[in-house]
Amino acid sequence: MADDEDNAPVEVEKGTSDAEFEKQLADRTAAVTKARNTSNTVAALKASLENPPLGCKKEEIRKKSAELVVNVLTSVKAADIKKHVDGLDDSQLDLLMKYIYRGFETSPADGGNLLTWHAAVLEKAGNGSIVRAIADRKTV
């Protein structure tokens, strides 16, 4: 019986179809754009972190999601980064750390800015955030 449990399919969160992930990305993009148009980068950051495409098989969706988050991160002034990080809870910080690492991969030109974000998240969330971001199988 234990073997049956071990071989049971892993349930992925609600919204697992590619179409649903695409809709969630479009909704997040619209929310981020609206927040950025009102110069509310705190709301833009929180909106960009909602409904991440964890478990999505389509690389293009994950790439666009990462680009959305990195664009928000790079639009924040360095002096305001701590204020933005302080407004996030632990799960958002872990997710943000995943996106920072993804940003290093996809946007090397933004590495300096991403390092500043990395330091701020590390200061608030601790080393565990790095471990959780790297060890989690569900990538962004």
Side-chain angles (χ1 to χ4, degrees), residues 73-135:
L73 296 179
T74 57
S75 70
V76 175
K77 296 176 186 169
D80 294 335
I81 290 176
K82 184 169 176 20
K83 174 182 79 169
H84 285 69
V85 169
D86 286 342
L88 300 176
D89 63 30
D90 289 343
S91 64
Q92 290 171 318
L93 290 169
D94 289 349
L95 182 60
L96 180 57
M97 188 65 84
K98 284 183 179 187
Y99 277 116
I100 290 169
Y101 285 120
R102 178 69 186 249
F104 286 137
E105 177 186 338
T106 61
S107 303
D110 297 320
N113 191 303
L114 292 173
L115 279 173
T116 305
W117 277 96
H118 186 275
V121 173
L122 179 62
E123 182 179 326
K124 182 170 183 199
N127 291 333
S129 181
I130 295 172
V131 173
R132 288 184 295 274
I134 292 173

Side-chain angles (χ1 to χ4, degrees), residues 53-73:
L54 298 175
C56 180
K57 304 274 187 256
K58 205 169 180 184
E59 175 62 25
E60 186 64 26
I61 294 172
R62 292 195 326 260
K63 182 179 177 186
K64 286 181 180 177
S65 181
E67 288 171 355
L68 178 67
V69 176
V70 170
N71 285 338
V72 171
L73 296 179

Side-chain angles (χ1 to χ4, degrees), residues 4-12:
D4 290 339
E5 290 175 12
D6 292 341
N7 294 329
V10 176
E11 282 191 52
V12 181

